[in-house]
Amino acid sequence: MDEIAYMRLAIQLARQGCGWVNPNPMVGAVIVKEGRIIGQGCHQKYGEPHAERNALADCQTPAAGATLYVTLEPCCHYGKTPPCTEAIIESGISRVVVGSSDPNPLIAGKGIAILRSHGIEVRENVAKDECDKLNESFFHYIQNKTPYVVMKYAMTMDGKIATHTGKSQWISGTEARQRVHEDRHRYSAIMVGAGTVLADDPMLTCRLEYGRNPLRIVCDTRLRTPLKAKIVTTAGITPTLIATAVTDISRHQPYLDAGCQVMVLPRKEDHIDLINLIKSLGEQQIDSLLLEGGGTLNWSALQSGIVNKVQAYVAPKLFGGSGKTPVEGVGVDSPEGAFLLSKPVITQAGEDILLESEVIRCLQES
């Protein structure tokens, strides 16, 4: 195996921590000595040992003189666990190959510098793009202190997210819906508007057998969420947050009694201040958020500038008529005012197609 192959194995190992390590990054490590893998590991869960220490613990032979392949620069500070640089130095590893640099100000090159100061050879940026992609949410969160927001929707080929009667189940096929549940496991929170709760009464949970449920958030400016809604009646089991502009504590109490959290936010035009909400979520260590709202919330989120990525599942169906579209609101005034997206990554998901683009900027604000 060459260095790229070892790093790709480390990436596969890192993915085992998906959904469990937030707000920490996913990290994988492989230790190679004399052309043979002698240890491997990943960061399995937040607060538990990091990938490098798990890989060293997996070694059946001494790691002295070996090469460590790790997807992210080793940490060099005391957090919930001791620095990985210490373990690497103590093990006698002579060479470290790194995929991504860590933008965390507590590390940011310091880990690599410490290793080199102890005579360890370090090679950087091996399979960098693949390693960076692994932790796009973490990189955004650690640099901005706000969650990485993914706006997801499923639509027909004529751009409808529901029929003219409001029915939407199901637009996409089973493979696409499986991917959505994988993302619900991956991201820390999921958010919808009160309109979606009123129309669909969703559970917003992860249906994977060994999946993790995200924090459920309802943007409910006027506090219209029914107390009998599934998202309220199950709040004692799955964490649920109601974000509202209503300040009347007596109106909060039934939701609090049901087990919901209630966050009061200032109003911006006809909805809660989404920028304020995102900052507050970041303070609670919510590093990533899947936005599964309707066209109204999607428009408000884009206008507020909180959306980082768009996922559009396109089904080979046509609804016609006046069905709802993914992004509503007043819309832009002219094509020059469009929200600009990156060239989409296209993935086949069963009969559907998934288009994924980063939000580059809003031309109106440039």
Side-chain angles (χ1 to χ4, degrees), residues 92-111:
I93 282 174
S94 61
R95 185 167 179 265
V96 176
V97 180
V98 176
S100 296
S101 300
D102 194 331
N104 186 338
L106 294 173
I107 305 171
K110 298 183 185 72

Side-chain angles (χ1 to χ4, degrees), residues 223 227 232 244 246-262:
L223 210 52
L227 292 172
V232 176
T244 184
V246 173
T247 58
D248 184 349
I249 296 176
S250 66
R251 291 190 60 193
H252 300 171
Q253 197 58 51
Y255 298 98
L256 296 171
D257 291 343
C260 298
Q261 305 172 55
V262 177

Side-chain angles (χ1 to χ4, degrees), residues 133-199:
K133 185 68 175 174
L134 183 69
N135 284 307
E136 59 186 2
S137 297
F138 168 75
F139 290 159
H140 173 87
Y141 174 73
I142 206 69
Q143 293 174 304
N144 298 280
K145 303 304 181 186
T146 57
Y148 182 80
V149 179
V150 179
M151 187 175 84
K152 187 278 300 181
Y153 53 83
M155 68 179 185
T156 61
M157 285 183 69
D158 57 342
K160 302 295 193 301
I161 62 171
T163 66
H164 73 94
T165 62
K167 295 180 179 179
S168 60
Q169 295 184 345
W170 295 105
I171 291 176
S172 55
T174 55
E175 290 87 347
R177 298 201 297 275
Q178 171 74 12
R179 288 183 65 104
V180 171
H181 286 292
E182 290 170 0
D183 280 343
R184 288 183 179 184
H185 168 77
R186 175 175 185 150
Y187 297 118
S188 295
I190 182 171
M191 187 164 77
V192 298
T196 296
V197 176
L198 289 166

Side-chain angles (χ1 to χ4, degrees), residues 34-359:
E34 297 174 352
R36 183 171 64 88
I37 295 173
I38 62 169
Q40 56 187 25
C42 69
H43 182 28
Q44 296 178 336
K45 193 173 183 179
Y46 179 68
E48 294 185 358
H50 291 181
E52 297 93 323
R53 289 182 177 273
N54 282 333
L56 286 166
D58 185 55
C59 290
Q60 300 300 310
T61 58
T67 296
L68 167 69
Y69 295 85
V70 62
T71 56
L72 184 69
E73 176 182 0
C75 67
C76 56
H77 70 288
Y78 281 88
K80 289 188 175 293
T81 58
C84 289
T85 49
E86 285 187 3
I88 294 168
I89 293 164
E90 291 170 1
S91 73
I93 282 174
S94 61
R95 185 167 179 265
V96 176
V97 180
V98 176
S100 296
S101 300
D102 194 331
N104 186 338
L106 294 173
I107 305 171
K110 298 183 185 72
I112 289 172
I114 288 171
L115 295 176
R116 284 175 171 156
S117 72
H118 283 79
I120 297 173
E121 179 189 346
V122 181
R123 184 183 176 198
E124 301 178 65
N125 302 324
V126 172
K128 175 178 170 55
D129 289 347
E130 295 172 64
C131 290
D132 286 353
K133 185 68 175 174
L134 183 69
N135 284 307
E136 59 186 2
S137 297
F138 168 75
F139 290 159
H140 173 87
Y141 174 73
I142 206 69
Q143 293 174 304
N144 298 280
K145 303 304 181 186
T146 57
Y148 182 80
V149 179
V150 179
M151 187 175 84
K152 187 278 300 181
Y153 53 83
M155 68 179 185
T156 61
M157 285 183 69
D158 57 342
K160 302 295 193 301
I161 62 171
T163 66
H164 73 94
T165 62
K167 295 180 179 179
S168 60
Q169 295 184 345
W170 295 105
I171 291 176
S172 55
T174 55
E175 290 87 347
R177 298 201 297 275
Q178 171 74 12
R179 288 183 65 104
V180 171
H181 286 292
E182 290 170 0
D183 280 343
R184 288 183 179 184
H185 168 77
R186 175 175 185 150
Y187 297 118
S188 295
I190 182 171
M191 187 164 77
V192 298
T196 296
V197 176
L198 289 166
D200 300 334
D201 193 19
M203 278 288 286
L204 303 179
T205 51
C206 173
R207 309 294 206 278
L208 302 181
E209 184 178 358
Y210 299 106
R212 177 196 59 83
N213 286 327
L215 168 68
R216 303 178 299 187
I217 302 170
V218 182
C219 291
D220 190 355
T221 305
R222 299 187 294 279
L223 210 52
R224 298 180 295 150
T225 299
L227 292 172
K228 292 183 178 180
K230 293 174 185 174
I231 202 168
V232 176
T233 59
T234 59
I237 302 171
T238 303
T240 303
L241 171 67
I242 309 291
T244 184
V246 173
T247 58
D248 184 349
I249 296 176
S250 66
R251 291 190 60 193
H252 300 171
Q253 197 58 51
Y255 298 98
L256 296 171
D257 291 343
C260 298
Q261 305 172 55
V262 177
M263 180 185 291
V264 178
L265 296 162
R267 185 188 290 262
K268 184 175 182 181
E269 298 175 356
D270 61 344
H271 56 79
I272 59 172
D273 187 334
L274 293 176
I275 294 176
N276 195 303
L277 171 60
I278 289 299
K279 288 180 179 177
S280 297
L281 293 174
E283 291 170 0
Q284 295 183 24
Q285 292 194 312
I286 301 299
D287 70 332
S288 50
L289 186 152
L290 187 62
L291 179 59
E292 289 198 25
T296 300
L297 180 57
N298 287 346
W299 168 254
S300 297
L302 285 167
Q303 265 198 319
S304 299
I306 67 169
V307 181
N308 302 109
K309 177 188 276 189
V310 175
Q311 289 184 335
Y313 289 90
V314 183
K317 301 175 183 177
L318 301 171
F319 283 173
S322 57
K324 294 184 176 182
T325 60
V327 182
E328 296 184 345
V330 297
V332 300
D333 295 331
S334 67
E336 289 75 20
F339 293 91
L340 192 61
L341 306 179
S342 66
K343 181 180 178 181
V345 175
I346 303 172
T347 306
Q348 193 78 38
E351 295 182 351
D352 306 316
I353 293 174
L354 170 60
L355 305 176
E356 295 181 282
S357 290
E358 299 290 326
V359 178

